[in-house]
Amino acid sequence: MVKREIFILKTGLTRCSRCGEDVEMAVYVDYMGRWLCKNCFIEFYEKKLRNTVLKYRMFSSSDLIGVAVSGGKDSMAMLTALSKVFPDLKIKAIHINLGIGDYSRDSENAVRRLCDQLGVELIIYDLKKHEGFSLPDLMKTAYRKRICGACGIIRRYLLNRIAWENGVRVVATGHTLDDTVELLFELYLNGRIEEIVRVKPVLEGGERLVKKVKPLIELTDQENKYYADFTETPYSEFECPLARGSRMLKRKELILRIEKEIPGFRHTFYKSHVKRFLPKLDGLIRRPELRACRNCGMPTIGDVCSYCKLVSKVLEVVKG
Ligand code: AMP
Ligand code: ZN
C-alpha cells in the first residue's frame, strides 16, 4: 500500500497554539485560524466528537450502534474515533458494496482493513448479489440523470433495513459539517421546508425505522482528513466515478470559496439553522404519517416506498 502523505501545511518549527510547543509538524484548522500539533489535534477532534454525541444525546456509552462506513475518509475517521472515545460501545460496522468497479472494490478493502485493525464486527452487503442490480445498472434507466439522488435512496433504505434486521436501533453516519451546509444551501435556496426540518444531528426512529445520528455534523471535511491521516486510519481515496462533476461537488467547492471570504461561514450557517430556524420550523411542519410499504413492509409515506419503485424499474431493464 502506498503510504499517504499527511497534509502538512507548515514544516520547520511551528508553535502549537494549544500546547505552546514548537513542533516539526502542524496542521492549520481553517475556521479557527490556528495551528495545532498532531497530539493536540487528535485530542481536539475527539473532544469535539464526544461533545457532539453527548450534547444531542445520540447514544449512551455502552449501547449497541451501527456505524455506516463507505470506506471514505469521513466515516472511517468516525469509526476510529468512536471506538476510541467510547470503548464500551458495541459497534456493528455496515458497508454496502454498490458494485461501482474499482471504486467499490477499494472501498470494501479499506473497510475490511480498518474493522480488522479495530476488532469491530463488520456486515458487508453486496448490492448485486442480494438485490440483483448494481449502481452502474441505473445508468441504463431514467435515474441516470439523478444518479446521486437515486444512490441516496438505495443507501438510506438498505442501511435502515440491514441495521433493523441485525437488531441495531441506532445508526451513525459520517455526514460532516461541509455535507450539511451544502445540503442546507440547496434546500434554503429552493425553499424546500419539509426537507429543511429533517436536516438535524438526530432523527428519531420508530417501527422498523432506526434512529439516525451524525456524530461528525460539527466537524469539517478537512478535520476528518487530518484525523484519519494522524491516526493512520486506512481509507479509500478513490472518488466515485458516477458523482464526478455533480452539482453537489460544485456546491461544496463554492462553499469553500465563501468560507475563504467569510471565515466561519459554515459554522454560522449551521448554528443559525439548528438554533434559530429548526425550533421554530419544527412546530410548524408536521411530520407525515408513516405506514408500511405494500411491497416490502418498511416505513414509507406513500403506498409503495421509493426504494421498491426504483427496484422494479431497474430490474425491468437489467432482466431485459
Ligand atoms: P455520502 O452521501 O456519500 O456523503 O455519505 C454519507 C454517509 O453515508 C457516509 O459518511 C457513510 O456513513 C454513509 N455511507 C455512504 N456510502 C455508504 C456505503 N456504501 N455503505 C455504508 N455506508 C455508506
Ligand atoms: Zn418498499
Side-chain angles (χ1 to χ4, degrees):
M1 192 187 88
V2 188
K3 183 87 189 75
R4 279 190 314 271
E5 268 185 42
I6 290 180
F7 193 56
I8 308 163
L9 278 149
K10 210 164 200 177
T11 45
L13 284 188
T14 306
R15 182 153 299 169
C16 171
S17 58
R18 192 155 171 266
C19 69
E21 258 194 65
D22 289 323
V23 290
E24 286 280 340
M25 189 168 73
V27 289
Y28 186 69
V29 183
D30 58 5
Y31 63 92
M32 290 197 301
R34 293 172 76 187
W35 291 92
L36 293 179
C37 73
K38 176 179 166 178
N39 288 341
C40 281
F41 180 80
I42 290 177
E43 274 178 27
F44 160 80
Y45 177 101
E46 290 172 353
K47 200 168 149 199
K48 262 184 97 171
L49 175 123
R50 187 169 187 278
N51 286 345
T52 307
V53 168
L54 299 180
K55 180 165 62 173
Y56 298 112
R57 297 173 198 274
M58 293 187 170
F59 48 78
S60 304
S61 57
S62 59
D63 282 356
L64 163 68
I65 70 160
V67 177
V69 276
S70 64
K73 64 177 187 346
D74 304 320
S75 50
M76 301 288 263
M78 173 173 74
L79 183 57
T80 298
L82 285 176
S83 63
K84 196 169 154 204
V85 174
F86 300 102
D88 294 332
L89 207 56
K90 292 176 264 310
I91 296 177
K92 289 189 186 189
I94 304 171
H95 175 71
I96 302 167
N97 186 318
L98 299 160
I100 312 175
D102 286 344
Y103 164 73
S104 292
R105 272 187 289 277
D106 199 57
S107 302
E108 183 180 319
N109 283 340
V111 168
R112 283 188 187 279
R113 226 172 330 127
L114 179 60
C115 290
D116 255 9
Q117 274 179 25
L118 299 173
V120 163
E121 182 182 339
L122 169 62
I123 301 168
I124 293 201
Y125 193 83
D126 191 297
L127 188 62
K128 185 82 187 175
K129 191 164 125 198
H130 297 292
E131 304 289 312
F133 69 96
S134 61
L135 238 282
D137 288 328
L138 264 63
M139 295 305 273
K140 302 173 214 153
T141 72
Y143 289 105
R144 77 179 162 277
K145 288 195 192 123
R146 43 193 172 105
I147 191 97
C148 294
C151 184
I153 293 176
I154 296 169
R155 283 180 296 158
R156 268 193 303 278
Y157 175 88
L158 288 176
L159 274 177
N160 179 62
R161 200 185 74 198
I162 296 162
W164 188 269
E165 287 172 353
N166 280 279
V168 172
R169 296 295 173 261
V170 181
V171 170
T173 57
H175 292 96
T176 64
L177 181 66
D178 296 59
D179 296 333
T180 307
V181 171
E182 180 276 320
L183 179 60
L184 287 174
F185 190 91
E186 169 74 354
L187 298 180
Y188 275 97
L189 188 66
N190 293 294
R192 285 154 63 180
I193 297 179
E194 284 78 10
E195 288 158 89
I196 289 174
V197 295
R198 295 185 50 77
V199 181
K200 37 169 88 161
V202 172
L203 279 174
E204 292 301 333
E207 180 53 28
R208 293 185 156 259
L209 189 65
V210 299
K211 174 177 171 182
K212 290 271 200 60
V213 301
K214 300 174 187 166
L216 303 184
I217 197 161
E218 297 184 0
L219 286 153
T220 66
D221 287 8
Q222 186 198 46
E223 288 171 309
N224 291 308
K225 172 152 174 51
Y226 289 158
Y227 185 79
D229 285 341
F230 277 154
T231 54
E232 296 188 16
T233 294
Y235 63 85
S236 169
E237 288 184 276
F238 276 68
E239 271 177 30
C240 176
L242 301 178
R244 214 167 275 153
S246 70
R247 294 171 67 152
M248 184 268 285
L249 288 180
K250 284 184 189 147
R251 277 193 297 271
K252 270 194 151 181
E253 281 165 21
L254 175 64
I255 284 160
L256 286 181
R257 293 220 297 276
I258 300 177
E259 177 82 32
K260 273 216 179 92
E261 299 292 328
I262 311 173
F265 170 78
R266 288 165 298 179
H267 291 80
T268 307
F269 193 172
Y270 166 79
K271 281 208 181 110
S272 301
H273 169 69
V274 171
K275 292 211 172 124
R276 302 271 170 210
F277 284 98
L278 268 189
K280 297 246 159 54
L281 289 176
D282 248 352
L284 293 175
I285 309 289
R286 263 207 284 145
R287 206 176 153 180
E289 289 281 324
L290 293 178
R291 45 187 163 151
C293 166
R294 186 154 47 89
N295 190 50
C296 70
M298 297 307 282
T300 174
I301 46 175
D303 187 25
V304 175
C305 75
S306 42
Y307 179 75
C308 284
K309 284 183 196 154
L310 182 145
V311 170
S312 73
K313 288 197 187 114
V314 177
L315 288 185
E316 250 173 52
V317 173
V318 173
K319 289 181 177 159

